[in-house]
Amino acid sequence: MNIINVNDAVRRLAAGEMIIVTDDHRRENEGDIVVLADRIETRHVDFMTRHARGLICMAISQGIARRLELKPMTEANTSLHGTAFTLSVDAANGGTGISVSDRTETIKLLASEESRPSDFGRPGHIFPILAKEAGLFEREGHTEAAVALARLCGAVEAAAICEVCSDRTDDMASGAELRSFAEKHGLGILSIAELKAYLLQPSNGYDGVKHEIVKGVKA
């Protein structure tokens, strides 16, 4: 079994590893690959395209979106779970945007504190998604979980995420298939429910009001 706790997830992510984050079976009932954006490498993007096969997105904080002028993809968001996509982007490097190296560069650029709005072409092949200001206490989504984990790591508040698609059906991988996928590729699985419960512990700095939900993680 590759089920991990929050401290293990933080250690793995901080070391540049990928993990799988799962949501409630009554919600999307799926697992997303998560890797910190400021530690992204071409091997991560290649893995997501070859093995996970979902849409590679970028979970980001509201602050990053404001700084890079990432506007909502649509004025009226009618998606089932209110996923807050911005307009998609590419690094303005003259490439096609879709190659593994180009998508890796775009993710790195989105995570860079030195980047500017003019560094991106719009639309593109990477899809930023805005996390809610109150994170998992406002929306229990993979986007909010990824940004919360980035905060726990003391990293830039951004992570690349990608759904794991099923090899057995035309749906998403879940349950035993997802656990088998994790075992095969050596990935830990963390549930959003466990992450939220961890954040609610008084010892982790959540006071019920602040939007900076946690300040650190105990060893």
Side-chain angles (χ1 to χ4, degrees):
M1 291 290 287
N2 278 36
I3 305 302
I4 58 175
N5 61 28
V6 175
N7 286 331
D8 193 11
V10 167
R11 281 191 287 269
R12 293 184 185 215
L13 289 168
E17 296 182 30
M18 298 175 287
I19 67 168
I20 295 173
V21 173
T22 59
D23 67 346
D24 192 275
H25 71 278
R26 293 164 296 185
R27 191 177 178 273
E28 290 181 318
N29 191 30
E30 68 180 34
D32 279 26
I33 301 291
V34 175
V35 60
L36 297 180
D38 62 4
R39 290 156 175 77
I40 197 78
E41 298 177 10
T42 53
R43 64 184 177 91
H44 298 127
V45 177
D46 186 62
F47 179 89
M48 288 187 278
T49 58
R50 291 177 185 272
H51 301 290
R53 299 183 292 112
L55 183 66
I56 300 177
C57 300
M58 180 88 161
I60 59 173
S61 67
Q62 299 274 337
I64 292 175
R66 286 191 291 270
R67 182 173 62 80
L68 296 179
E69 299 177 6
L70 297 172
K71 305 299 183 183
M73 184 179 286
T74 178
E75 292 183 7
N77 190 330
T78 60
S79 69
L80 180 60
H81 297 290
T83 309
F85 283 101
T86 75
L87 193 64
S88 56
V89 296
D90 282 337
N93 61 2
T96 64
I98 193 62
S99 69
V100 166
S101 59
D102 280 346
R103 281 189 280 184
T104 303
E105 182 176 351
T106 301
I107 293 168
K108 285 182 176 179
L109 199 57
L110 284 165
S112 171
E113 296 179 346
E114 304 299 320
S115 60
R116 300 169 296 176
S118 59
D119 291 328
F120 301 93
R122 311 163 199 236
H125 297 84
I126 291 296
F127 298 82
I129 310 175
L130 300 182
K132 294 290 187 181
E133 288 283 2
L136 290 173
F137 303 96
E138 187 174 354
R139 180 178 182 271
E140 296 183 3
H142 293 93
T143 304
E144 287 72 24
V147 170
L149 286 165
R151 289 193 186 117
L152 284 170
C153 292
V156 174
E157 296 180 349
I161 61 177
C162 180
E163 307 95 337
V164 180
C165 295
S166 174
D167 284 331
R168 303 174 186 172
T169 71
D170 59 359
D171 208 336
M172 310 310 296
S174 62
E177 183 182 7
L178 191 61
R179 292 191 294 272
S180 176
F181 179 91
E183 186 75 26
K184 177 181 178 181
H185 297 289
L187 302 175
I189 300 176
L190 175 71
S191 72
I192 287 176
E194 179 161 347
L195 175 58
K196 185 176 179 180
Y198 177 93
L199 297 177
L200 279 170
Q201 296 174 18
S203 60
N204 292 323
Y206 179 69
D207 63 8
V209 177
K210 291 182 180 178
H211 128 250
E212 294 101 356
I213 297 167
V214 286
K215 295 296 183 182
V217 61
K218 294 187 175 181

